[in-house]
Amino acid sequence: MDNRESEIRVGFVNPRYNSLLVALAYFAGGSLLYALDLGVLVEDRPPQPLWVWLVLLACVCAPMTMRRTRPLLALLLGTVPVLVDLVVGPSLPVWIAYGDLLYTATLFGSARTSRFLERAPLVPIVVGAVALGVYFGELRIAVWAVSIAALVIVVPIWWARSVRTHRDAAEIERARAEALSRVAELDRRAAITTERQRLARDLHDVVAGHLSSIAIQSEAALRLRDSDPDRALTVLESVRSGSVAALQEMQSMVRLLRSDDTDEITTAGRLVDLEPLTASARAAGTSVRIDGRPPADLDAEVDLTAYRIVQETLTNAVKHAPGRPVTLRFDDADGRLGIEVVNPIGDPDTPDPSPARGAGHGLRNIAERAAAVGGHARSGRDGNEWRTYVQLPIANRSTT
């Protein structure tokens, strides 16, 4: 922070204008003391004309116009007439004005200057007081010199140091409060972004997954309505079941959005309840074979994540490779749940079907869901098969 900013913060709109008023006030007050014959501190010196004191006082007051913009330079310029005043005969107005220069240099100067001014006067004051006491042979002279020096030099410096310390502490607290405010705002934005991504994944699973299944099954029912009416009826029953499930999940999401419970899971779904997913795929003409059995005591978040991933992979298989068998494998080892979904997609020389027939949201959702619970997922073509492999942590299992 520069001096001008400091000036504005303590309420001075124009530092140069206010410094000029302060300089004029010091000069007017000092002139009054000289006029009343109260300005000279030592009477045994040869008397000086009034104009000499006024010139010295003016030379100390003139640098005050820079007391806040260039405090160190003002102090150095004011030191010269003070030394002359010390030789001619110390006068109270000059030293009072010089105390103001010491105050502003300590308060508004650099940190190094402020620390130097806090310590520098101590030794010269003590040495000078002892020298005066020895020279005049009176302890009273030494005490008087130390008292005057403490009044016009040490007190302004220490006062400025105290004000500076409190000001710096206030600035640190203000900066800390601003930093905490920025961190809170970033956390809020991150939380909103995370929640939006979670809702987007759930909406994709509920809407895209179920609607894709309904569209494929409806197409199959239309093809079978004349050749195999019984099977067409079975497909339509699966369509209805899928529609009801989608509606229930949408209602569950709406309840979550209206609820104040932040720990509530968005929609229901567990790996032990895979039958509706596999039945829907079979109704669309895709056979599903399950190898292994998923654990039944998974943590609720991991369980839902695994369920959604299986739902998305089956939807992709039905959508991009209709009528081709899907193999779903589970393995539970080393504190990890492995899920592998494999389905044929055709000739290995043909391009991948997923980029051409979809936007890739499903694969991205699978990877994001796995990463959100500390796992990982990879999907891609392996010869003439599409393979999705997911690993999820199961070390923290539900105790309910």
Side-chain angles (χ1 to χ4, degrees):
M1 180 190 307
D2 58 23
N3 295 327
R4 186 176 183 84
E5 291 177 353
S6 301
E7 185 75 27
I8 293 175
R9 284 183 181 269
V10 294
F12 291 89
V13 178
N14 190 330
R16 292 184 181 275
Y17 177 73
N18 285 280
S19 296
L20 177 60
L21 292 180
V22 171
L24 292 176
Y26 272 105
F27 184 79
S31 300
L32 181 61
L33 290 177
Y34 285 133
L36 297 176
D37 198 21
L38 298 175
V40 180
L41 297 176
V42 180
E43 296 292 343
D44 59 351
R45 296 292 181 90
Q48 301 292 336
L50 180 60
W51 67 267
V52 173
W53 305 115
L54 294 178
V55 168
L56 290 175
L57 179 60
C59 291
V60 176
C61 292
M64 286 186 178
T65 57
M66 301 181 295
R67 60 198 288 271
R68 296 185 182 275
T69 56
R70 298 290 186 272
L72 181 57
L73 178 60
L75 177 63
L76 295 176
L77 294 176
T79 302
V80 176
V82 166
L83 295 177
V84 175
D85 178 82
L86 189 62
V87 174
V88 173
S91 60
L92 185 60
V94 170
W95 285 91
I96 291 177
Y98 188 66
D100 182 88
L101 293 177
L102 288 169
Y103 175 85
T104 53
T106 305
L107 180 59
F108 296 106
S110 65
R112 180 179 298 178
T113 299
S114 182
R115 289 192 298 268
F116 174 78
L117 291 177
E118 183 182 23
R119 300 177 178 88
L122 298 179
V123 174
I125 288 175
V126 174
V127 172
V130 172
L132 287 175
V134 172
Y135 179 78
F136 290 102
E138 293 186 19
L139 179 61
R140 180 174 60 86
I141 299 295
V143 174
W144 177 84
V146 169
S147 301
I148 295 297
L151 179 64
V152 299
I153 296 178
V154 177
V155 170
I157 292 176
W158 285 2
W159 185 11
R161 284 290 296 174
S162 177
V163 173
R164 184 179 184 125
T165 299
H166 286 83
R167 184 194 66 186
D168 293 345
E171 288 296 328
I172 292 174
E173 289 300 322
R174 185 181 295 109
R176 182 180 301 171
E178 291 176 355
L180 290 176
S181 177
R182 288 194 296 270
V183 170
E185 177 63 19
L186 291 175
D187 288 343
R188 186 187 69 84
R189 292 182 181 180
I192 292 174
T193 301
T194 301
E195 184 62 16
R196 284 176 175 173
Q197 292 174 347
R198 186 164 71 99
L199 289 175
R201 289 194 297 267
D202 289 339
L203 284 172
H204 178 272
D205 291 341
V206 173
V207 177
H210 283 291
L211 290 184
S212 296
S213 178
I214 290 172
I216 294 172
Q217 292 174 9
S218 300
E219 183 180 359
L222 290 175
R223 290 198 308 267
L224 295 172
R225 63 180 178 179
D226 296 326
S227 60
D228 193 346
D230 292 337
R231 187 177 177 189
L233 181 60
T234 302
V235 173
L236 289 176
E237 290 175 351
S238 178
V239 169
R240 182 185 180 281
S241 298
S243 302
V244 172
L247 180 60
Q248 291 175 344
E249 293 190 14
M250 288 294 294
Q251 290 174 340
S252 177
M253 293 182 65
V254 171
R255 285 196 301 270
L256 172 67
L257 294 174
R258 292 178 176 176
S259 173
D260 294 330
D261 185 4
T262 57
D263 295 329
E264 183 180 350
I265 298 298
T266 303
T267 51
R270 301 185 61 191
L271 281 181
V272 295
D273 302 324
L274 289 180
E275 179 57 31
L277 298 182
T278 57
S280 177
R282 293 187 182 103
T286 299
S287 63
V288 180
R289 182 169 65 90
I290 300 178
D291 292 342
R293 179 177 298 179
D297 56 349
L298 290 173
D299 175 81
E301 186 176 8
V302 175
D303 203 355
L304 176 61
T305 298
Y307 179 87
R308 289 301 186 200
I309 288 175
V310 171
Q311 181 183 32
E312 181 61 32
T313 55
L314 291 178
T315 299
N316 287 340
V318 172
K319 181 179 179 181
H320 298 302
R324 299 186 179 182
V326 176
T327 301
L328 179 60
R329 300 187 182 96
F330 295 98
D331 65 84
D332 176 7
D334 301 328
R336 311 284 290 185
L337 169 63
I339 304 174
E340 185 178 38
V341 183
V342 182
N343 63 278
I345 54 176
D347 189 347
D349 295 329
T350 61
D352 290 351
S354 54
R357 300 181 60 183
H361 297 303
L363 299 180
R364 184 164 56 250
N365 286 347
I366 291 174
E368 290 177 354
R369 285 186 181 277
V373 296
H376 66 273
R378 63 177 185 271
S379 301
R381 187 165 189 163
D382 183 12
N384 63 342
E385 294 179 333
W386 186 267
R387 190 180 303 271
T388 297
Y389 183 73
V390 181
Q391 273 198 345
L392 303 176
I394 57 175
N396 299 324
R397 294 193 173 187
S398 173
T399 57
T400 59

